[in-house]
Amino acid sequence: MKKIALLSTIITAVLSLSSFADGTKLEGTATCAKCDLGIAEKCQAAVVVKTADGKTETYLSKPNDKAKALHKEICKGGKEATVEGTVSEKDGKKTIAITGYTIK
């Protein structure tokens, strides 16, 4: 019985990890977290999306080459965009490790 419980726990963990590995697409406004939103100490790309209930959520980009490239296009003025990457949350802050984006 312990083996079955352990096996089901392992399967659940593997399935959970695979869902985080898949890319997430966020559609909203890509903008600068410092210059436009005033929520960061230095320039950083952010994506502001509307939820199904009409609220807004902000995802800060994790530093990488794609985030830097996006930031160059949107600093000093946000643009509608689709941003792809791996989403995570820590201490109530949502982040995205950007793997690709499209400016509309």
Side-chain angles (χ1 to χ4, degrees), residues 13-24 84-87 97 99:
V14 169
L15 291 174
S16 296
L17 289 175
S18 66
S19 68
F20 284 112
D22 293 338
T24 301
E84 296 179 53
T86 304
V87 172
T99 57

Side-chain angles (χ1 to χ4, degrees), residues 16-92:
S16 296
L17 289 175
S18 66
S19 68
F20 284 112
D22 293 338
T24 301
K25 285 187 179 181
L26 300 176
E27 293 190 30
T29 303
T31 191
C32 182
K34 177 186 176 191
C35 299
D36 191 25
L37 301 176
I39 59 172
E41 291 185 22
K42 60 181 184 174
C43 286
Q44 176 182 10
V47 183
V48 180
V49 298
K50 289 195 180 199
T51 62
D53 60 0
K55 296 181 181 178
T56 60
E57 290 184 341
T58 302
Y59 294 81
L60 298 174
S61 65
K62 290 188 175 182
N64 66 23
D65 291 340
K66 296 284 185 180
K68 287 179 186 177
L70 174 60
H71 181 263
K72 286 180 183 178
E73 294 190 50
I74 52 87
C75 192
K76 306 284 184 186
K79 297 179 182 177
E80 291 299 309
T82 300
V83 179
E84 296 179 53
T86 304
V87 172
S88 59
E89 185 172 350
K90 184 176 180 182
D91 299 328

